């Protein structure tokens, strides 16, 4: 389910090329999965949710993101996994829809509302404003990357529950990278990083490299690799994405050859995934 050129014009220059269309296509891919569902009470593997609950969460989250893109304040937890889980539970309890077709339509509709809000902000010159999101302050472009990341993560879960191919590809992972990089300091595990000083160079196979530096536990993510990295990690892009979202076991990925490491301290590589808690 790769990106297919749509009939609607890509959102203007406020978003990186292809990001608006990827959001639209991913919402459509998820809707197509849901429209084939007969029983929404089927459990999602590795989750406490059913298909209906996961779809309802996606519909609500897309609406939340659309509101944020329009400049509306929507408090939603404090960024910690515990607070986000509690906010999700409260939101689902207050929202009764679990039907596949209505939720599919809502997911697509709210993705379009988000893109319309982005287009309006470009027209009124407010696209550069900082927005308060569940994972900290982000600009509108990073928020769009967040929306895509969130849909792909739960879209992957739905595809697994239904035994269907997922919609994640290396192009979409690249469009998620700005959000994943922005979120890394926010989701670092303070207990795991305490006292750590290390310089990592992460490179997606066939794609970009970036740096993650820990200085006595503090995390700094840079668009380019750090000087004299202690450890370089080369990782297959979809594997990186799934590991970042807690959907892929790091040790299994290493055993399968999807992660390679070298450098002055290559033994730091297996520790890297343990330094973060997926939201």
């Amino acid at each position: 389910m790769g990106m297919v050129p749509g009939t609607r014009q890509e959102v203007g220059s406020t978003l990186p090329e292809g990001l608006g269309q990827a959001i639209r296509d991913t919402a459509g891919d998820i809707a197509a999965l849901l429209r084939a569902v007969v029983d929404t009470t089927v459990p999602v593997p590795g989750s406490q949710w059913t298909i209906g609950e996961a779809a309802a969460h996606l519909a609500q989250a897309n609406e939340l993101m659309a509101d944020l893109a329009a400049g509306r304040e929507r408090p939603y937890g404090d960024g910690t996994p515990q607070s986000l889980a509690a906010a999700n539970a409260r939101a689902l309890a207050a929202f009764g829809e679990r039907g596949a077709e209505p939720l599919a339509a809502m997911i697509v509709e709210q993705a379009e509302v988000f893109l319309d809000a982005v287009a309006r902000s470009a027209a009124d010159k407010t696209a550069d404003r900082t927005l308060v999101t569940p994972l900290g302050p982000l600009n509108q472009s990073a928020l769009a990357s967040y929306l895509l990341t969130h849909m792909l993560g739960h879209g992957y879960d739905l595809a697994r529950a239904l035994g269907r191919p997922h919609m994640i590809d290396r192009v979409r992972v690249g469009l998620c990278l700005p959000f994943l990089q922005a979120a890394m300091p926010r989701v670092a595990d303070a207990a795991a990083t305490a006292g750590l000083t290390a310089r990592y160079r992460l490179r997606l196979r066939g794609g970009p490299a970036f740096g993650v530096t820990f200085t006595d536990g503090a995390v700094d993510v840079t668009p380019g690799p750090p000087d004299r990295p202690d450890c370089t990690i080369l990782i297959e892009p979809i594997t990186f994405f799934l590991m970042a979202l807690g959907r892929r076991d790091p040790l299994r990925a290493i055993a399968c050859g999807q992660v390679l490491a070298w450098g002055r301290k290559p033994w730091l590589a297996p520790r890297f995934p343990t330094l973060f808690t997926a939201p």
Side-chain angles (χ1 to χ4, degrees):
M1 295 188 216
M3 289 175 58
V4 178
T7 56
R8 295 188 56 163
Q9 185 177 2
E10 175 74 4
V11 175
S13 60
T14 59
L15 296 184
E17 183 179 357
L19 180 51
Q21 192 61 50
I23 289 170
R24 183 172 290 125
D25 290 345
T26 300
D29 289 342
I30 292 170
L33 284 175
L34 289 173
R35 286 174 177 135
V37 172
V38 176
D39 182 5
T40 63
T41 66
V42 172
V44 173
S47 170
Q48 296 181 340
W49 286 343
T50 63
I51 287 174
E53 289 166 337
H57 170 68
L58 270 170
Q60 290 182 304
N62 282 16
E63 181 183 39
L64 170 67
M65 298 287 195
D67 280 349
L68 295 178
R72 302 185 188 99
E73 291 191 11
R74 289 280 306 271
Y76 201 87
D78 61 9
T80 63
Q82 297 82 1
S83 74
L84 291 176
N88 290 340
R90 287 192 299 271
L92 281 174
F95 179 66
E97 182 61 72
R98 298 294 184 269
E101 177 58 40
L103 291 171
M106 290 175 66
I107 289 165
V108 170
E109 177 188 6
Q110 291 303 317
E112 291 295 346
V113 172
F114 177 93
L115 294 175
D116 288 344
V118 171
R120 285 196 303 274
S121 68
D124 62 22
K125 312 298 184 185
T126 59
D128 293 334
R129 62 188 165 186
T130 299
L131 305 169
V132 179
T133 82
L135 282 173
L138 298 172
N139 63 26
Q140 197 169 71
S141 179
L143 179 65
S145 180
Y146 184 1
L147 172 59
L148 178 61
T149 301
H150 188 264
M151 284 199 295
L152 287 173
H154 290 292
Y156 173 83
D157 295 339
L158 290 171
R160 285 188 65 214
L162 296 167
R164 299 287 301 280
H166 64 73
M167 68 288 297
I168 306 169
D169 59 32
R170 65 171 53 244
V171 173
R172 292 179 183 182
V173 170
L175 293 167
C176 293
L177 198 55
F179 166 69
L180 294 173
Q181 291 172 333
M184 274 186 173
R186 187 84 175 180
V187 300
D189 186 322
T193 61
L196 175 64
T197 295
R199 293 186 295 273
Y200 287 91
R201 175 179 181 258
L202 266 69
R203 182 182 150 209
L204 303 190
R205 187 173 297 158
F210 62 98
V212 183
T213 299
F214 297 87
T215 306
D216 197 22
V219 188
D220 182 38
V221 180
T222 56
D227 294 333
R228 301 183 69 243
D230 297 305
C231 179
T232 293
I233 300 174
L234 175 65
I235 184 167
E236 190 277 323
I238 296 174
T239 300
F240 167 77
F241 181 85
L242 294 176
M243 284 172 55
L245 270 62
R247 266 76 168 184
R248 185 82 162 94
D249 177 44
L251 294 180
R252 185 177 176 185
I254 292 170
C256 292
Q258 294 164 325
V259 182
L260 300 174
W262 63 88
R264 298 184 301 138
K265 300 178 181 179
W267 58 86
L268 288 172
R271 185 177 180 183
F272 185 83
T274 71
L275 301 173
F276 304 93
T277 302

